[in-house]
Amino acid sequence: MSNEGVFPSSMKPDKFNEFLKNYIDGIRQKHGELNKRAYFKSNVLEKLFNISPDYIEFELQRNDLYVTGILFETKDTLDDRSIKEGLNELKKYLKERKNVIKCVLTDGIKFLEYNVDDVKNYEENKIINPVKSFDLGIQYTLDKIMDHFENLYELLFIPHGRLPVEMNIIVPRILKLINQEIKDIEMLDPGVKYEAWKKYVATVLGSESETSRELYMKQSLLYYIAVLISAKILHIDIDVKQILDGTGFLGKGILNFVEKDNFFDFIPYDHKAIRDILNELNLYDFTDVRNDFFRLLYEDLILPSNRHDLGEFYTPEWLAKILVDELVTKDNIVLDPACGSGTFLKLALMKKKDLGSKNIESQVIGFDINPIAVVISKANYITEVQDAKIIPIFLADSLMPNWLDLSQSGGNTQQKLDTKVDINFDEIIKGYGRVSFDYGDRNIQQMDEYLMKMKASIDNYIINNDESIPTELMDNKELVEKLREIVKDGKNHIWFYILRNIYNPYYYRKKVDVVIGNPPWLTFRDIKNTARQDMLNTLYKNYNLKSGAENKTQQDMAEFFIVRSQEYLKN
């Protein structure tokens, strides 16, 4: 096996050759099965193969490890006695675990791979032949070390046969795939989409500190993975182009899962990265998916050390379930104004299904300002409600920054039910100003039809130089003219996507029974964007949150979400 083998160069750490040699020297000096297991886990599984400890299962006083569907039993040495002992242990562990695809005995250097069925049927004190084994021996060269770790990579990541959709298998494999594919797409130009994503997220979260191009690329790959997995769950078995352009979902009656001109759809359908994703996903059976792997993929894509800057601290499912069980009823309308990956929404859908609710898709609604969170939340939604026509999850700011003029009366706010929201083009493409968008009283489907007419009118202007504006679009005459200018300048990439989403918090004012969720955990002083600070200042004063500048800087964003959430409630 050559050094250009299956081990991806993107996974190799700095001073790769030195790293491998140090591991071999280190493991030879370890004595005791638990010490060898810990050294192998830390240096090979976590550091070399970049597998999160969350997906490596082990018992403290036992010698086994379970990772990517493989059950390892660690021994101090591998002689006949310890091999027989190890096979007995593996047989015992198999009774406790499901979805094991391979069994392995190892001393940290030598690896003996066995079929699961052979281990299940193992007769005590007998030796069975492994299906594969590899060892360095006493004398070894650098090339032999490289070959050795190629074999180990193949053992962990290259399956033979179908894989179960199990957390400890699919999540680390998909995360590895994302990290591996980054280099394949880094030369692609997403155009204004990256700047739009960056500015859009930073404007709302308050800082650009974590809006890196690498994170954007990872989220783009996750977008394609989520769309393609969702197609498999829904049994949409057609050409990949028709899946990614949304045709396949439209054929199922789902109107807004794949929205064209979104933040992430810049990778060509025939690109290597898409083929690699399909090859990986084809290994799994998605016919009966019950695991919340979308949420885990979303959460694990952001390092814990970076989550504070994004205001993201994830709600344990058990805690979310307590709130959902308390507040969600058969027919009430539920809103999560900062839905993230959709934990509360998914549990609310499950509760309503159990209660026999009708028209569930009109009763469970979510907003978020993180574009990839909206994608993942929608994917979670259609795994629960596969016959949904419109998924009511929107890329929108639930703090409603365009509606700040509140009249105070006895401590209650009286809303001005105007139907306009500002579209600030300058945030993304300088020099194009801002224009009001009058959304009227259109529901989701009506808005989609309205925007299709607007797009057709703009296309007619570009193609035929027809400057007339249809009567039904005259309530947004200035917006149509601005979009014509932008399209003519070749900068029409995401605007109709934004228009379909941005107005929804305003539309849902006074239409909700319950607000539930876990808002971003930031304080006022974390917000660096001056326009955002001005908006929060206005909310701070209008809702009489506290007095004194020294208090305001410590104000938790959760408090702004709480007071703003009352505007959605019917009563």
Side-chain angles (χ1 to χ4, degrees):
M1 190 178 295
S2 73
N3 290 354
E4 298 299 320
V6 295
F7 200 125
S9 59
S10 58
M11 291 184 66
K12 295 178 180 177
D14 294 337
K15 299 181 179 179
F16 181 55
N17 296 343
E18 183 179 335
F19 178 92
L20 298 184
K21 187 176 184 305
N22 287 341
Y23 168 75
I24 298 299
D25 292 341
I27 197 72
R28 289 193 187 282
Q29 296 173 28
K30 297 295 176 183
H31 298 288
E33 295 165 351
L34 293 177
N35 287 333
K36 286 200 169 188
R37 184 191 69 170
Y39 195 75
F40 173 70
K41 173 181 175 287
S42 173
N43 286 275
V44 174
L45 298 181
E46 295 177 16
K47 292 180 182 177
L48 180 60
F49 293 126
N50 201 29
I51 299 174
S52 167
D54 292 341
Y55 302 107
I56 305 172
E57 295 183 14
F58 65 97
E59 300 291 339
L60 289 178
Q61 298 305 315
R62 295 187 349 193
N63 307 321
D64 63 315
L65 289 167
Y66 178 66
V67 59
T68 66
I70 300 169
L71 186 58
F72 288 89
E73 169 70 1
T74 312
K75 309 304 291 182
D76 201 23
T77 60
L78 286 177
D79 53 27
D80 283 354
R81 182 191 59 79
S82 62
I83 289 173
K84 291 174 185 178
E85 183 182 88
L87 288 169
N88 272 322
E89 291 297 314
L90 287 171
K91 181 178 181 179
K92 183 173 67 176
Y93 300 154
L94 283 175
K95 295 176 182 178
E96 304 170 9
R97 293 189 183 276
K98 297 179 179 179
N99 298 320
V100 175
I101 57 178
K102 297 176 185 177
C103 292
V104 176
L105 289 176
T106 182
D107 61 0
I109 298 178
K110 185 176 183 178
F111 294 84
L112 305 177
E113 176 189 339
Y114 296 90
N115 282 327
V116 171
D117 287 341
D118 289 343
V119 176
K120 284 181 179 178
N121 298 319
Y122 175 68
E123 296 180 18
E124 193 168 356
N125 292 322
K126 290 190 176 180
I127 291 287
I128 57 176
N129 293 324
V131 294
K132 185 176 181 180
S133 65
F134 48 97
D135 186 13
L136 272 179
I138 301 299
Q139 301 294 325
Y140 53 85
T141 63
L142 182 58
D143 283 344
K144 193 169 182 180
I145 294 177
M146 292 291 291
D147 287 349
H148 191 65
F149 281 92
E150 289 277 357
N151 282 320
L152 186 53
Y153 175 87
E154 185 175 351
L155 172 68
L156 285 164
F157 295 112
I158 299 183
H160 301 284
R162 302 282 275 180
L163 294 175
V165 181
E166 201 259 343
M167 293 298 90
N168 282 50
I169 298 175
I170 190 169
V171 175
R173 289 182 63 88
I174 293 294
L175 292 173
K176 175 192 74 71
L177 178 67
I178 288 173
N179 289 322
Q180 185 177 323
E181 295 300 326
I182 287 288
K183 289 193 175 182
D184 287 332
I185 67 168
E186 63 184 359
M187 298 307 293
L188 295 178
D189 181 12
V192 75
K193 290 177 184 288
Y194 169 57
E195 289 302 321
W197 170 87
K198 187 177 178 181
K199 296 295 182 184
Y200 198 86
V201 173
T203 296
V204 185
L205 296 180
S207 170
E208 292 187 10
S209 62
E210 292 304 320
T211 54
S212 66
R213 185 178 174 89
E214 180 184 1
L215 180 59
Y216 172 73
M217 291 296 185
K218 285 184 177 181
Q219 291 190 359
S220 298
L221 288 165
L222 182 55
Y223 162 78
Y224 285 93
I225 289 166
V227 171
L228 291 169
I229 288 178
S230 298
K232 287 184 174 293
I233 291 172
L234 296 174
H235 309 291
I236 301 174
D237 187 17
I238 57 176
D239 180 72
V240 65
K241 179 181 184 300
Q242 292 178 295
I243 294 173
L244 294 178
D245 70 10
T247 303
F249 295 94
L250 289 173
K252 287 283 187 177
I254 303 171
L255 302 181
N256 70 327
F257 179 57
V258 175
E259 297 185 76
K260 294 183 178 179
D261 296 322
N262 61 65
F263 285 80
F264 304 113
D265 60 347
F266 66 91
I267 303 177
Y269 303 132
D270 59 351
H271 191 275
K272 176 184 178 297
I274 303 298
R275 295 196 300 273
D276 288 346
I277 290 170
L278 282 171
N279 288 338
E280 174 66 26
L281 299 184
N282 285 337
L283 296 172
Y284 302 91
D285 180 3
F286 290 99
T287 54
D288 186 24
V289 176
R290 301 187 184 277
N291 294 319
D292 194 6
F293 58 87
F294 285 123
R295 174 181 62 84
L296 294 173
L297 287 171
Y298 169 73
E299 292 176 1
D300 280 9
L301 210 58
I302 302 173
L303 295 174
S305 58
N306 299 145
R307 287 177 186 161
H308 176 265
D309 292 322
L310 293 170
E312 297 195 6
F313 292 87
Y314 308 125
T315 312
E317 191 167 301
W318 63 267
L319 177 57
K321 189 174 186 305
I322 291 173
L323 296 175
V324 166
D325 286 345
E326 176 73 21
L327 296 171
V328 175
T329 63
K330 180 179 178 181
D331 296 316
N332 64 357
I333 297 175
V334 180
L335 168 68
D336 184 345
C339 64
S341 63
T343 297
F344 284 95
L345 300 181
K346 187 180 178 76
L347 292 170
L349 292 169
M350 293 168 67
K351 173 80 178 290
K352 285 182 172 288
K353 284 167 65 178
D354 289 343
L355 294 172
S357 301
K358 306 296 182 184
N359 302 316
I360 292 178
E361 64 192 83
S362 65
Q363 297 176 359
V364 181
I365 302 151
F367 305 144
D368 207 283
I369 40 66
N370 186 341
I372 194 61
V374 171
V375 173
I376 297 303
S377 195
K378 282 185 173 184
N380 265 324
Y381 203 102
I382 60 174
T383 61
E384 287 301 323
V385 186
Q386 296 190 9
D387 58 350
K389 302 304 178 187
I390 295 174
I391 306 168
I393 298 175
F394 306 101
L395 180 69
D397 186 354
S398 57
L399 290 183
M400 297 182 286
N402 287 176
W403 180 58
L404 301 173
D405 188 8
L406 307 178
S407 300
Q408 297 287 349
S409 176
N412 296 317
T413 59
Q414 304 296 321
Q415 69 183 90
K416 294 184 176 181
L417 285 174
D418 60 83
T419 60
K420 292 183 179 180
V421 56
D422 260 5
I423 307 297
N424 188 351
F425 295 101
D426 258 346
E427 284 181 347
I428 298 171
I429 45 176
K430 294 294 184 185
Y432 287 88
R434 58 200 307 153
V435 177
S436 288
F437 172 36
D438 190 343
Y439 56 87
D441 194 34
R442 301 176 180 92
N443 63 29
I444 307 167
Q445 193 159 355
Q446 290 168 339
M447 179 57 72
D448 195 57
E449 293 168 357
Y450 180 80
L451 292 175
M452 286 176 67
K453 291 176 182 176
M454 186 181 292
K455 187 175 187 305
S457 173
I458 292 169
D459 290 343
N460 190 35
Y461 166 75
I462 298 298
I463 297 169
N464 301 316
N465 201 29
D466 183 350
E467 296 187 2
S468 63
I469 297 176
T471 303
E472 60 265 38
L473 300 178
M474 288 303 292
D475 55 345
N476 280 296
K477 178 176 180 292
E478 188 179 359
L479 176 61
V480 172
E481 291 172 343
K482 179 61 67 175
L483 287 171
R484 283 176 173 178
E485 179 187 354
I486 289 171
V487 172
K488 192 172 182 179
D489 291 346
K491 296 179 179 178
N492 176 40
H493 296 272
I494 58 167
W495 301 112
F496 285 100
Y497 175 72
I498 288 176
L499 291 174
R500 281 193 299 270
N501 285 269
I502 196 171
Y503 77 97
N504 280 282
Y506 308 90
Y507 174 81
Y508 278 102
R509 286 176 295 182
K510 304 301 180 187
K511 295 179 181 177
V512 171
D513 296 306
V514 171
V515 178
I516 192 170
N518 181 10
W521 288 94
L522 297 169
T523 62
F524 186 96
R525 65 181 178 183
D526 293 316
I527 306 302
K528 308 303 179 185
N529 181 278
T530 54
R532 191 70 170 174
Q533 288 175 347
D534 290 343
M535 184 271 288
L536 293 175
N537 271 326
T538 303
L539 295 181
Y540 184 82
K541 294 173 183 175
N542 285 353
Y543 288 99
N544 293 317
L545 292 179
K546 280 184 181 179
S547 60
E550 71 282 0
N551 292 322
K552 182 176 66 177
T553 59
Q554 302 300 322
Q555 202 81 33
D556 203 310
M557 285 295 293
E559 295 180 65
F560 291 104
F561 272 83
I562 290 168
V563 296
R564 210 54 166 150
S565 291
Q566 67 184 295
E567 309 300 343
Y568 295 107
L569 298 173
K570 292 176 182 177
N571 301 310

